[in-house]
Amino acid sequence: MTETVVFPQDRTCPYQPAPAYLPLAAERPLAQVALYDGRRVWAITSRDMARRLLTDPRISSDRTNPAWPMMFPVIAATVSDVQQKVMKIVTALVGVDGAVHSARRKMLIPSFTLRRINAQRPMIQEIVDRQLERMLGNGAPADLIPAFAAPVPVTILYRLMGIPDEDHDFFEKVSHQLAAGPNANEAYDELMAYMDKLIARKRRNPGDGVLDDLLAGRGGAADVGEVRGEELISTLVLQVAGGHGTTGTMISLSMFVLLQNPERLAELRADPSLLPTAVDELLRLLSIPDGVSRLATDDIEVEGTTIRKGDGVFFITSLINRDENVYETPDSLAWHRASARDHVSFGFGAHQCLGQNLARVTMEIALGTLIRRLPGLRLAAPAGEIPFNPTAGFQVLTELPVTW
């Protein structure tokens, strides 16, 4: 390359890779890119290489390492005490390696198995139906995001985690304040006090949510000892930040794409059994998180190139998931694609997304219900005028006006 691509780049379309990444795709399997401060790091664009490196113990997720590559100056800037607390909470699972990561992940695995999530299908369907009835009751047109796509996953997640229904609004409010609000310190104290009360309540009257599993030591939590309030907050905030936001975005962006591909939509309406594969194909094509960041902790030889110890390594999801060596016609939707589930939208290896079964089932039921019950669903504005915001390499529609 004659000029190093700066990473990350904004997309010009919410479901297509950034145009500036096209030279990187041509250089597969890896290339060098530059971060905001000029630091050169490795960009992985090959599906096979991505899988190989994401399972290599020399590729680290430890965000406390001083050499960790920062994508944005705002992240690298000095943060307040409460922001440090929040970062500690959010990275408690995804930002650690080895035995610590394995022990924390083991606590949660039994609650997110496919069998456990499939058993929640009636609950998920009930929440989807109730939210859709609310949207229909308010009449057309509607913004599908606040009316349906955003509240469905968060309600499902809170119910699964064991947060009482009457506390959902409170938890949603303080979670957002904790992440970005001006009253983050107060929100942190409120959340800690709330968790202390909730833990005491659940010890007196256990339920069957994820928090109850952790407190009771059920399944993989049996040998982790006493679970403290801060650990439970870490679990909750991580699942909220990584779960309902991404799933809600996938629901809205998937419908946006489907409504622009009427033939593919008609196929799903005619044969709902295609929905599970369609969900993975949409996850592959849309690739809403644009990059997964890692750090090399030792020299790694790959394809005749040496990734040096201390080098940043970024896995550019939108290019990996369109690797033409893996996917035929990678830029199109195909419900019968045998390799549809081979994407890396949930990561790969030890840090693969723990909530992927829940995300898939939620998307399948939410999209299937919209397709079945609203045969006349269509965009209420030209597709090119619908705004989106590629916030921090994460593709988000800011509104989705629809009618039916």
Side-chain angles (χ1 to χ4, degrees), residues 29-302:
L30 78 169
Q32 280 200 319
V33 295
L35 299 183
Y36 70 94
D37 57 359
R39 177 181 177 180
R40 289 185 174 233
V41 297
W42 295 101
I44 309 302
T45 59
S46 156
R47 199 286 309 268
D48 290 344
M49 180 175 285
R51 286 184 160 197
R52 189 159 68 249
L53 289 175
L54 286 169
T55 55
D56 191 316
R58 296 169 293 180
I59 294 291
S60 172
S61 295
D62 183 5
R63 286 156 175 77
T64 66
N65 191 314
W68 184 260
M70 297 294 186
M71 277 196 290
F72 302 97
V74 67
I75 299 176
T78 301
V79 295
S80 66
D81 289 344
V82 72
Q83 287 172 319
Q84 290 177 355
K85 293 177 184 177
V86 173
M87 287 301 295
K88 181 181 177 182
I89 286 173
V90 174
T91 61
L93 183 64
V94 299
V96 292
D97 294 319
V100 174
H101 170 259
S102 297
R104 290 175 177 171
R105 188 177 178 92
K106 186 178 179 182
M107 293 167 58
L108 291 166
I109 286 174
S111 300
F112 289 93
T113 63
L114 183 57
R115 181 177 180 180
R116 179 80 176 264
I117 298 304
N118 276 333
Q120 303 298 322
R121 282 178 177 268
M123 178 269 287
I124 295 172
Q125 186 68 65
E126 181 266 325
I127 290 171
V128 167
D129 289 340
R130 187 177 65 211
Q131 194 63 44
L132 182 56
E133 289 297 338
R134 190 171 297 155
M135 184 180 84
L136 295 176
N138 289 331
D143 183 343
L144 192 70
I145 296 173
F148 183 82
V152 161
V154 71
T155 305
I156 292 167
L157 184 59
Y158 286 160
R159 187 80 63 84
L160 184 69
M161 297 297 287
I163 301 297
D165 288 357
E166 62 271 19
D167 295 341
H168 289 186
D169 289 344
F170 163 81
F171 198 86
E172 182 78 354
K173 181 191 74 172
V174 295
S175 295
H176 283 299
Q177 288 178 342
L178 191 65
N183 302 316
N185 280 292
E186 292 85 349
Y188 184 88
D189 292 340
E190 277 190 77
L191 197 52
M192 290 297 286
Y194 168 79
M195 288 305 300
D196 286 341
K197 293 179 182 177
L198 181 62
I199 290 169
R201 190 191 324 172
K202 285 184 173 293
R203 291 197 189 281
R204 293 192 303 269
N205 300 294
D208 59 359
V210 174
L211 298 183
D212 302 278
D213 288 348
L214 294 174
L215 289 169
R218 292 194 284 261
D223 58 358
V224 298
E226 185 74 8
V227 181
R228 297 177 291 108
E230 189 166 322
E231 290 177 287
L232 293 178
I233 290 178
S234 297
T235 301
L236 277 169
V237 172
L238 179 61
Q239 294 302 319
V240 169
H244 85 267
T246 51
T247 305
T249 296
M250 275 302 307
I251 291 170
S252 59
L253 193 51
S254 293
M255 283 310 308
F256 178 64
V257 170
L258 286 172
L259 291 173
Q260 295 176 74
N261 288 269
E263 292 183 1
R264 301 290 83 79
L265 182 57
E267 289 172 354
L268 294 179
R269 187 167 283 123
D271 185 2
S273 71
L274 294 173
L275 272 166
T277 303
V279 164
D280 270 298
E281 177 69 346
L282 286 161
L283 285 161
R284 178 195 71 81
L285 190 77
L286 305 186
S287 299
I288 56 173
D290 229 355
V292 175
S293 52
R294 294 289 189 266
L295 178 71
T297 57
D298 205 346
D299 290 357
I300 306 172
E301 296 291 331
V302 286

